[in-house]
Amino acid sequence: MANVRRQSTLRAPAVCAGISLHGGQQTRLVMTPAAPDTGLMFRRSDITDRDNLIPVTPESVTGVRNCTTISNAAGIGVSTIEHLIAALCAAGVDNLLIELDGPELPALDGSAEPFLKLIEQVGLERQAAARRYVRILKPIEVSDGYGSARIEPCDAFELDVTIDFDDPAIGRQRLQIAPDVRAFRERLASARTFARMHEVAALQEAGLSKGGSLDNAVVVEDGAVLNPGGLRFDDEFVRHKALDLMGDMYLGGPILGRVTTVKSGHGLNHDLLTKLFATGDAWDYVSLPGTKAIIAMMKARLRDLTGPNSAIAVPA
């Protein structure tokens, strides 16, 4: 396995707790290392009378209203998973058991930054199995008449996200990014979820956003940001949409492709992933060379370019 990129898990357990955004319940989350080829798996520790394991896969998605919810065949689910999954995507975590004592993840500050910090504090453990990437072979696109989402071939994972809201505090924003862990940490991780005040009222009437506050969301009204500290970035809104997209796409595993969305949300993100995997000739699985293999290829290429009589010395 020295010549290919390998799977990863955490070196040790990581724990956090807080109020859930929609349910308003205090929940505790424990991330525990898992064996190679396990994938990402939730376990509802508060459920003991039926199957409480929920795999993080596109097929497990059962809800896309205001957040991404996954469930198992026994009807046991977890919601608002996208911020944590985005952090796991950026860090390159393949295998993990995520224990949760309630139906929804803690909101923390409304971003992925606290999750990423937890992951980086405990560190990663490389595993023996090769990492498997989803390579995009041809474009796939979905639309709902309002927004659109498209994925097309690319040598890396790239995002091009556009949002357009009628509130002048948000407006039209666009972000293009290749979200490796450094770019994610610096440009996306701390971007918070957001809502307009009239949406918050509607959500609360529908029994949602019970735990929402200015401590875990950006709220705007009539062109003004209501949070006392203002925004973390001038374009925090589109950055958070890109963060959400990362989390939603990672349900299909690490991807080599460019994803372009315009006025998309969890529903369209899921529709894109579903259509992709239903189109057999649009993708395949590949492994990528590891660091040692890349260095060896670079040295070989340098020898080819310099030749045996070159004055340039190629390291052994």
Side-chain angles (χ1 to χ4, degrees), residues 6 13 16 30 42 47 87 93 106 113 161 163 170 191-192 219 224 228 239 242 246 255 275 278 296 313:
R6 295 182 293 166
C16 67
V30 182
F42 280 93
I47 302 295
V93 178
E113 188 173 47
V161 180
I163 63 172
I170 305 174
R192 297 160 293 176
V219 180
R239 293 185 193 224
M246 275 188 71
I255 289 175
K275 184 175 180 179

Side-chain angles (χ1 to χ4, degrees), residues 174-193:
R174 182 183 181 189
L175 176 72
Q176 299 179 78
I177 188 171
D180 59 15
V181 67
R182 180 176 179 179
F184 183 80
R185 184 191 306 116
E186 295 177 353
R187 300 179 61 192
L188 297 187
S190 63
R192 297 160 293 176
T193 192

Side-chain angles (χ1 to χ4, degrees), residues 198-218:
H198 70 274
E199 294 172 331
V200 174
L203 286 170
Q204 291 176 341
E205 288 180 6
L208 299 172
S209 197
K210 294 178 181 178
S213 72
L214 297 180
D215 292 327
N216 57 29
V218 176

